[in-house]
Amino acid sequence: MDRICRQFDRLENPHLAVRDKPAISTPMSEENKQAQKRTEWSEDRTIMANERTFSSWMGTGLGAIGVAIGLKAVFGAFEPTWAAKLVATIFLGVAIAIFWSARNQACQTFARLSERDVEATSSRNYMRLATIMTIAAFATGVILWSL
């Protein structure tokens, strides 16, 4: 009866059949080695795509700073002047939010992956760049409000 139950269990759950077999270590086949290499390369491609995405978001943040400067230039003679400055400041705030959001997302993605054949940008560099861009956006705001 016990033998019949084990056979039934194997039919229901094929993973149980693996436990009854002795563990045999076989060398990895050439096909499996190639599949493993392709998997490693896909992680490398994902790391590089993550860096390109981060760079793209930095460019979007710089675009928001450009909009802020453009608003001040276009509406410089606008009365009250504080309104044009306020709208420009909102775009500067959006730029700062974009910088830090991009940094956080890039670091989270990088933490999930392991590099193989590429040398990835470190999380510290993402932090440096986001900090520098934030300081630049803040300085732009100071200059816009002083005009």
Side-chain angles (χ1 to χ4, degrees), residues 1-136:
M1 182 69 173
D2 187 39
R3 190 173 124 207
I4 294 172
C5 291
R6 280 192 307 214
Q7 287 176 346
F8 180 75
D9 287 343
R10 286 184 193 141
L11 291 174
E12 288 292 315
N13 190 352
H15 300 292
L16 292 176
V18 174
R19 281 192 232 155
D20 294 342
K21 294 180 182 177
I24 300 172
S25 71
T26 58
M28 190 181 285
S29 71
E30 187 62 34
E31 186 177 309
N32 287 344
K33 286 179 185 177
Q34 289 176 349
Q36 180 65 30
K37 193 65 172 170
R38 285 191 303 269
T39 301
E40 291 171 1
W41 287 342
S42 70
E43 283 192 349
D44 288 347
R45 287 190 302 271
T46 304
I47 288 171
M48 292 185 290
N50 182 43
E51 291 174 353
R52 289 189 302 271
T53 302
F54 177 78
S55 176
S56 178
W57 279 109
M58 289 291 115
T60 302
L62 287 173
I65 292 174
V67 169
I69 293 170
L71 284 172
K72 177 62 176 114
V74 170
F75 297 110
F78 184 78
E79 287 296 326
T81 57
W82 62 267
K85 291 177 182 179
L86 180 65
V87 173
T89 304
I90 291 171
F91 277 96
L92 293 174
V94 168
I96 292 170
I98 289 171
F99 297 148
W100 288 98
S101 175
R103 181 253 173 218
N104 291 339
Q105 190 62 42
C107 289
Q108 288 173 1
T109 302
F110 182 68
R112 288 191 305 264
L113 301 171
S114 57
E115 56 194 90
R116 309 287 184 190
D117 294 329
V118 297
E119 187 176 328
T121 303
S122 71
S123 296
R124 195 174 337 156
N125 286 341
Y126 293 133
M127 174 72 92
R128 283 184 195 137
L129 192 55
T131 302
I132 290 168
M133 298 295 239
T134 299
I135 291 169

